[in-house]
Amino acid sequence: MNAALAPILITGAGRRIGLHCAERLLDDGHPLILSYRRDNPELARLRERGALTLKAELADERGILAFIEAVKAHTGRLRAIVHNASEWRAERSGHEAEDFQRMVGVHMLAPYLINLHCADLLRASQPADIVHIGDDVARKGSARHIAYCASKAGLDSLTLSFAARYAPRIKVNGIAPALILFNPDDDATYREKTLAKSALGFEPGAQVIYQSLRYLLDNPYVTGTTLTVNGGRHLK
């Protein structure tokens, strides 16, 4: 890890958008601390490039606080915290309370506790940022993913509250993506239907989220804002 620069902390960086942002930040010379739930070859590649990876369970208080202590054991300052860890889970009959608690844990309690307990690490670095990766679905709700949507809406509220609390030393913003990347097993019918939901109508790839993250990190005059990256879904 480059001792001259304060590291950027990214939660849930082992795959998809989090992985891409981690790779690009390393390309740009930023030291990284990354959380993950399951190890994979991509994480091994990030370690080879100098990233510090910490296994974490961010769905409950015990796991979150243990992760915070692990971060503090490795660094006394942070350039930014990017809350990317997420779980996409529909309601399951007979498991509604469990699913709701898990969604709130990952999407709200983890950012809440990490922001509170790591603020001193951010204040030790200037500039300093917190970025919450939300979801455009919170804008209109979801019939099949009620707990997921509610917890992501709560994350939007945390963006506003922490921005007010930590100004002017720490900027706090959010990013609300819609479709960014299809999964390999998504069939042609699903892809066509999903693409038709946006005005721009294409699969952009993870780079658009990195561009949004880069903007928030680099712009000194933006806080309490959530960038909508949805290809114009609100226009349809």
Side-chain angles (χ1 to χ4, degrees), residues 13-225:
R15 56 192 298 271
R16 292 173 63 82
I17 290 173
L19 174 63
H20 179 84
C21 289
E23 291 174 329
R24 288 301 316 276
L25 286 168
L26 287 170
D27 291 342
D28 290 344
H30 291 283
L32 299 181
I33 299 175
L34 312 173
S35 85
Y36 69 95
R37 286 187 63 203
R38 298 182 183 88
D39 210 346
N40 60 40
E42 288 75 20
L43 284 165
R45 188 171 70 245
L46 295 177
R47 291 187 198 106
E48 290 173 358
R49 298 187 61 188
L52 172 65
T53 62
L54 300 174
K55 188 171 184 178
E57 176 51 71
L58 300 179
D60 58 57
E61 179 185 7
R62 181 177 179 181
I64 298 163
L65 293 178
F67 173 67
I68 292 168
E69 290 306 308
V71 170
K72 290 188 171 184
H74 285 93
T75 186
R77 57 197 184 117
L78 289 170
R79 164 63 182 86
I81 302 172
V82 181
H83 293 286
N84 175 72
S86 187
E87 210 170 312
W88 177 250
R89 181 180 293 195
E91 272 63 38
R92 299 176 299 159
S93 179
H95 298 274
E96 294 89 350
E98 173 192 345
D99 292 338
F100 187 86
Q101 289 169 351
R102 185 167 189 86
M103 295 296 95
V104 170
V106 173
H107 301 145
M108 293 184 66
L109 184 61
Y112 174 74
L113 291 177
I114 292 170
N115 290 351
L116 287 176
H117 290 282
C118 291
D120 55 335
L121 303 185
L122 290 165
R123 292 191 185 100
S125 171
Q126 285 298 308
D129 287 89
I130 295 171
V131 180
H132 298 144
I133 308 297
D135 197 308
D136 183 59
V137 73
R139 175 176 51 85
K140 65 178 220 173
S142 172
R144 293 189 62 250
H145 296 85
I146 298 170
Y148 173 88
C149 185
S151 60
K152 287 292 191 177
L155 184 60
D156 287 345
S157 179
L158 288 180
T159 299
L160 296 172
S161 295
F162 276 112
R165 182 183 181 110
Y166 288 156
R169 293 291 301 279
I170 304 168
K171 295 188 285 104
V172 185
N173 292 290
I175 302 172
L179 166 73
I180 299 299
L181 287 169
F182 285 116
N183 292 302
D185 57 351
D186 291 334
D187 61 33
T189 300
Y190 172 78
R191 290 175 186 241
E192 182 179 2
K193 179 180 178 182
T194 303
L195 291 175
K197 292 180 179 179
S198 72
L200 296 180
F202 68 94
E203 176 191 11
Q207 178 64 10
V208 297
I209 302 304
Y210 181 71
Q211 290 168 334
S212 302
L213 174 60
R214 188 79 261 174
Y215 167 76
L216 293 174
L217 294 178
D218 293 344
N219 193 311
Y221 202 58
V222 177
T223 196
T225 293

